Amino acid sequence: MGSASSAYRVIYLDVDGRSQKVVFSRFCSPCDIKELFCTATGLSRNTTISLLDSTGAMVSIDPTMPNNSERSPYKVVPITGGQLADKEELFQNVLTQVAEQFSRAFKINELKTEVTNRLAMLEKRVELEGMKVVEIEKCRSDIKKLREEMASRNNSSFLDDNKKLTPRRDVPSYPKYHLSQETVEALRKPIFDVWQWEPNEMLSCLEHMYHDLGLVKDFNINPITLKRWLLCIHDNYRNNPFHNFRHCFCVTQMMYSMICLCSLQEKFTQVDILILMTAAVCHDLDHPGYNNTYQINARTELAVRYNDISPLENHHCAVAFQIFSQPDCNIFANFDPEAFKQIRQGTITLILATDMARHGEILDSFKQKVDNFDFTNEEHVTCLKMVLIKCCDISNEVRPMEVAEPWVDCLLEEYFMQSDREKAEGLPVAPFMDREKVTKPTAQIGFIKFVLIPMFETVMKLFPQIEEVMVQPLRESRDRYEELKQIDDAMNEVQKKKSENLTMGGKKK
């Protein structure tokens, strides 16, 4: 019972004066939830609807929407009309289409029989009206797994058909996308321009890193599983202005460049390298675009679930290992239980270290160790890995100005979205997120001077080679933003004097 309650949300709707219970997965998209509500209330699936609570206030339709009770159901208000086909007919149609798709894709009678049997079993399991869409999604997931099993057997005719049937991703099929030698070399450097690449190319770059570091060979990772896992990672980053898949790629590429630049493979075990890379890939999975402070102040489901302790970072870890729990995405499938336990613990430790609320604690711990650092001491190595992922997570200003500066705009856009929401909900607003108080220079100067430079300079004690390519660009970025601030201040002073003169002139008249 416990696993079912954590996997699904229960919402009550007002349907013609009676309460209708609707159950859906916490991982459904808002679009799926809207369709489910339409189905539950007898509306056409593509009807545009609003959801109102008992006070008449609008409720957002998404997986984090507030819980309600049978006594206070939400009212579904259609914005456009439309007739709904009978629910059983809708369900049957989807199942029929699925069976037809299988028939076309596989052209194998045995599989057709197996699918028919599976679908019949699913039909029998449907008891709650609200569970039907969830069951259909489970069915689709099963079919996807079978399709991919066939693909892994290099059935070329199946792959050709599959491309026509499900053109849902922009990632190329095997053979994998080939990177030029120029790209391969550039990928190892912090100056790599992360804005020049489409998602499919970024995925291929990530794939290359795992191969190039010897992780695929040393740990017997199935290359097809690696590709599927990266696809699933891509699909589980949201389209936020900043915390999106491109940011995931940035952080992982910077980690890769630090591994290369600092010759970390000579100092660390391959398991450590695997943990560093995998934690970087997974570190912001399903980030909602609103930080921990918002989660805690707004008492969101995440904050309640994790007792206000790093709610986002705990969520990123949970989503990462939910993905690994799927056999077709488990790049650790060939590890024995003890080795997997080590990988899991190491990855969780690093992702949790990216909570900036812990910055001082982690950096102080590292400073105490750095002068007598011992690569054979597990505690020392873990602390260094935590600092490395922290460096990579906030490393944009290490990059050339033309690569770094657009990220500042993205971050401020996300900050302003949050502060606007906080103002609307009557929550506290941080000054560095308030569009009326912050500028690019003021946002960056303090962060570079008091967070980035001290951390990278401490790492530089262990790895002097980062000074020229990482620390020096940070110093130059600090100087540039300080000059911009001086210009801004001078212009503000001129504007202030103009206003004063106009005021004085008015008084004299």
Side-chain angles (χ1 to χ4, degrees):
M1 290 296 288
S3 62
S5 63
S6 63
Y8 298 107
R9 298 288 311 280
V10 179
I11 296 292
Y12 293 90
L13 302 179
D14 180 354
V15 181
D16 299 326
R18 63 183 176 84
S19 180
Q20 167 75 55
K21 180 179 176 183
V22 179
V23 184
F24 58 86
S25 165
R26 290 184 298 106
F27 305 106
C28 280
S29 69
C31 182
D32 289 338
I33 297 169
K34 282 181 185 175
E35 288 188 3
L36 183 54
F37 287 175
C38 287
T39 303
T41 51
L43 297 168
S44 172
R45 277 196 326 173
N46 43 6
T47 303
T48 304
I49 59 169
S50 292
L51 209 59
L52 305 180
D53 66 13
S54 55
T55 68
M58 289 183 68
V59 181
S60 64
I61 302 176
D62 60 58
T64 62
M65 62 193 296
N67 285 320
N68 64 350
S69 68
E70 198 167 357
R71 292 181 180 178
S72 57
Y74 294 139
K75 190 169 183 63
V76 177
V77 179
I79 296 172
T80 57
Q83 285 293 16
L84 173 73
D86 180 78
K87 291 175 192 169
E88 281 301 322
E89 188 180 333
L90 170 68
F91 186 60
Q92 194 59 48
N93 284 345
V94 173
L95 295 177
T96 305
Q97 287 170 23
V98 164
E100 287 172 0
Q101 210 176 56
F102 251 92
S103 178
R104 287 198 303 273
F106 292 107
K107 301 181 176 68
I108 299 173
N109 288 331
E110 290 87 339
L111 274 174
K112 187 175 178 182
T113 304
E114 183 186 341
V115 174
T116 305
N117 291 340
R118 281 198 189 191
L119 296 179
M121 284 175 64
L122 282 177
E123 272 189 297
K124 286 176 187 174
R125 284 173 52 203
V126 177
E127 294 174 1
L128 294 174
E129 204 64 21
M131 287 292 287
K132 289 185 176 175
V133 171
V134 175
E135 293 292 350
I136 292 167
E137 286 307 315
K138 173 71 172 69
C139 174
R140 285 176 180 156
S141 172
D142 287 349
I143 289 163
K144 176 174 170 283
K145 285 177 184 174
L146 280 172
R147 271 208 302 263
E148 286 169 341
E149 281 173 25
M150 293 296 291
S152 68
R153 293 171 193 159
N154 294 320
N155 185 331
S156 59
S157 65
F158 164 69
L159 284 174
D160 291 342
D161 283 352
N162 189 40
K163 270 190 249 181
K164 294 170 198 163
L165 286 166
T166 53
R168 56 181 292 268
R169 288 195 176 109
D170 59 351
V171 181
S173 302
Y174 279 95
K176 72 173 191 163
Y177 179 86
H178 289 290
L179 305 174
S180 70
Q181 192 56 38
E182 184 184 8
T183 299
V184 165
E185 288 168 12
L187 205 52
R188 289 169 163 257
K189 298 171 184 173
I191 58 171
F192 188 78
D193 188 348
V194 294
W195 295 105
Q196 299 299 317
W197 309 89
E198 296 300 320
N200 60 325
E201 296 166 326
M202 288 189 278
L203 285 162
S204 291
C205 287
L206 291 171
E207 198 180 343
H208 166 80
M209 295 173 202
Y210 272 73
H211 282 277
D212 184 55
L213 292 169
L215 302 174
V216 176
K217 183 169 178 286
D218 291 354
F219 298 115
N220 194 23
I221 296 171
N222 183 329
I224 297 170
T225 305
L226 175 65
K227 182 179 274 286
R228 286 198 203 112
W229 172 64
L230 289 170
L231 282 167
C232 197
I233 291 291
H234 170 266
D235 286 355
N236 281 278
Y237 273 91
R238 300 195 198 182
N239 290 323
N240 299 314
F242 184 93
H243 290 101
N244 51 38
F245 178 68
R246 194 175 298 276
H247 168 67
C248 150
F249 176 70
C250 272
V251 175
T252 312
Q253 188 271 326
M254 189 62 73
M255 181 67 79
Y256 176 64
S257 65
M258 288 192 88
I259 290 168
C260 298
L261 183 67
C262 302
S263 305
L264 292 184
Q265 287 185 293
E266 296 172 13
K267 307 281 189 183
F268 286 167
T269 66
Q270 279 292 79
V271 170
D272 286 326
I273 299 296
L274 180 63
I275 289 169
L276 282 168
M277 290 294 291
T278 305
V281 169
C282 298
H283 84 283
D284 268 333
L285 275 167
D286 196 43
H287 194 297
Y290 300 94
N291 70 12
N292 279 332
T293 303
Y294 173 82
Q295 304 298 325
I296 292 164
N297 289 339
R299 300 177 188 174
T300 64
E301 187 185 343
L302 280 182
V304 172
R305 183 185 307 151
Y306 295 112
N307 306 307
D308 296 350
I309 301 167
S310 304
L312 289 181
E313 290 71 24
N314 273 294
H315 180 59
H316 306 324
C317 291
V319 175
F321 283 92
Q322 280 163 355
I323 292 171
F324 288 129
S325 72
Q326 300 173 30
D328 56 349
C329 293
N330 185 11
I331 58 171
F332 306 135
N334 294 319
F335 283 72
D336 62 58
E338 198 54 42
F340 176 76
K341 188 177 175 183
Q342 182 188 351
I343 295 272
R344 174 171 161 78
Q345 189 53 59
T347 304
I348 290 170
T349 298
L350 296 204
I351 295 176
L352 292 180
T354 62
D355 182 356
M356 285 302 293
R358 297 181 58 202
H359 176 80
E361 161 216 333
I362 292 169
L363 188 57
D364 286 348
S365 175
F366 182 60
K367 282 178 177 175
Q368 291 167 18
K369 300 172 175 62
V370 72
D371 291 329
N372 299 294
F373 197 86
D374 180 4
F375 279 97
T376 64
N377 182 317
E378 188 180 339
E379 188 184 337
H380 284 214
V381 169
T382 298
C383 189
L384 172 57
K385 287 190 293 184
M386 291 164 78
V387 171
L388 288 173
I389 195 168
K390 283 176 58 55
C391 286
C392 295
D393 188 22
I394 54 177
S395 63
N396 285 326
E397 290 301 329
V398 167
R399 301 181 186 275
M401 181 192 77
E402 63 275 12
V403 180
E405 192 168 3
W407 281 114
V408 183
D409 294 320
C410 293
L411 187 59
L412 288 178
E413 185 184 342
E414 200 164 294
Y415 280 174
F416 295 158
M417 279 170 53
Q418 176 169 322
S419 61
D420 290 347
R421 183 166 177 173
E422 286 168 334
K423 289 172 188 176
E425 295 177 3
L427 299 173
V429 178
F432 69 89
M433 287 189 165
D434 193 333
R435 67 173 72 244
E436 293 167 16
K437 296 179 182 174
V438 75
T439 64
K440 266 199 214 180
T442 58
Q444 292 302 94
I445 292 169
F447 189 67
I448 296 169
K449 281 173 73 171
F450 303 116
V451 177
L452 287 173
I453 291 177
M455 181 165 66
F456 275 84
E457 283 182 341
T458 309
V459 174
M460 191 176 78
K461 290 182 178 180
L462 265 191
F463 303 107
Q465 58 267 51
I466 75 166
E467 180 168 20
E468 185 183 346
V469 292
M470 290 184 160
V471 180
Q472 195 52 39
L474 287 175
R475 293 168 181 156
E476 289 166 7
S477 180
R478 172 200 62 198
D479 296 344
R480 187 173 71 85
Y481 279 114
E482 284 184 332
E483 285 172 18
L484 286 172
K485 186 176 185 302
Q486 287 175 2
I487 293 167
D488 283 355
D489 289 347
M491 288 176 70
N492 289 337
E493 192 61 34
V494 169
Q495 197 63 41
K496 187 179 170 187
K497 284 183 179 174
K498 275 185 183 176
S499 299
E500 285 173 359
N501 290 338
L502 284 169
T503 305
M504 290 299 290
K507 284 181 180 176
K508 284 176 184 177
K509 287 179 183 177

